[in-house]
Amino acid sequence: MTDSDLRHVIAVTGAAPYDVTVGTDLLEEAVASVPAEAARVLVVHSQPLQRKADYLKRLIDESGRLGVLVEVPDAEAGKTAEVAAFAWGVLGKSEFTRTDVVMALGGGAVTDLAGFVAASWLRGVGVIQIPTTLLAMVDAAVGGKTGINITEGKNLVGAFHEPLSVWCDVSFLSTLPRNDLVAGMAEVVKVGFIRDLEILTLTEANIDLLRSVDAQDGSRAGGETGAGVSGASAAGDGSLDPAAVPVLVELIRRAVQVKADVVSADLKESHLREILNYGHTFAHAIEYTERYQWRHGAAVSVGMVYAAELAGLAGKLTEAEVERHRSLLSALGLPVTYAGGRWDALHLAMKRDKKTRGDMLRFVILQGIGNPVRFEGPDPTLLIAAYDAVSR
Ligand SMILES: NC(=O)c1ccc[n+]([C@@H]2O[C@H](COP(=O)([O-])OP(=O)(O)OC[C@H]3O[C@@H](n4cnc5c(N)ncnc54)[C@H](O)[C@@H]3O)[C@@H](O)[C@H]2O)c1
């Protein structure tokens, strides 16, 4: 295995093309990629990434620019209008101009917030995304969607703002709480089911390795823990098992490639981009019903099994293909069932989802693995039968 096997550049094309680099130890390159005209770089991060943010600032300062750090509240608490306004204030006080740049260093919450701050400062300045969770690497940081939450709902305010570049540095995953790593694997596996079957094969062949990629115990509250995203163990030493690195790089490369292909062909959310929502209709209903105490990836895991059951009932997936969902996701430590007796609440939540058109429920299901199709307004008896199959 050479270093070049561990470094891949994926092009996202379209009106504002950019590259996503996947590899290890990429921070210096990320700083070197800052456009020559930029004199200042704002690094947005939350507390768990403090040490890395300090290091990033040092690299930026050494490159002859002014690095400004802004620490924001962790996770969803950082995705608010108040925090965005605080960051705008820092940009104003530091006299950031149109040619200066914002850098996001963090999980999806930070990449969403920093992207939104960059999209809105002086009507749009460049943002460089450095995702540090698996979910942010394969999903949030790629595709240009940015946003914040308001009391009335998650991600209701935002903008499309393509980054200048994205740096998926797998080394970050060494400190990621295991529950967050496992939740990110749900999005990776999702891409396998909708498009890239090699992801499924690779994951199945490396389950033990992926389950033992050790970091700290997951500390976030979450009802899903009892339902399967557990397996947290002793705190890791902050370095990845060398055997896991090429596997993670390859899985991330493949997942990013599919997202890049989809968003390149379909920049604003419409037809093709919809396939990325596999499992998400039911997942959003779980998240809403659980008041967002479940990790997104855990909800998507159950959502994919639900969608597979629907497809099985509609004669589009075989029993073995439905079972493959269940066995792969549960082997990773993800939940594949949800509490019984909650159909009415889940049904209502699905109907209020922003992706529902009118009253008609829309799902992405598979007509054979790797072939997603839209499934609109299914017969209610099918919906309930699929729920019975995933409830416990
Ligand atoms: N824009 C999009 O297209 C898109 C897509 C999917 C999800 N999202 C958004 O992404 C967010 C979820 O992202 P997430 O799952 O990355 O959660 P997150 O950003 O909340 O991060 C999870 C936790 O991990 C910590 N963390 C991050 N990197 C770490 C590291 N390397 N080591 C140790 N701890 C680390 C964070 O500080 C946080 O506590 C949601 O807000 C969601 O709406 C956006």
Side-chain angles (χ1 to χ4, degrees), residues 104-190:
L105 178 72
V110 164
T111 59
D112 271 9
L113 167 77
F116 179 66
V117 167
S120 45
W121 180 250
L122 300 177
R123 299 189 182 83
V125 296
V127 62
I128 293 175
Q129 298 283 14
I130 308 179
T132 62
T133 63
L134 182 55
L135 180 117
M137 291 180 194
V138 299
D139 197 357
V142 181
K145 276 210 259 172
T146 74
I148 55 171
N149 307 323
I150 57 171
T151 316
E152 285 70 21
K154 276 193 63 170
N155 297 322
L156 288 182
V157 178
F160 276 95
H161 188 57
E162 275 74 32
L164 298 175
S165 57
V166 182
W167 303 86
C168 300
D169 186 337
V170 174
S171 330
F172 280 113
L173 301 181
S174 66
T175 54
L176 189 65
R178 184 187 289 186
N179 285 352
D180 286 296
L181 190 94
V182 168
M185 275 306 297
E187 292 287 352
V188 173
V189 165
K190 175 200 80 181

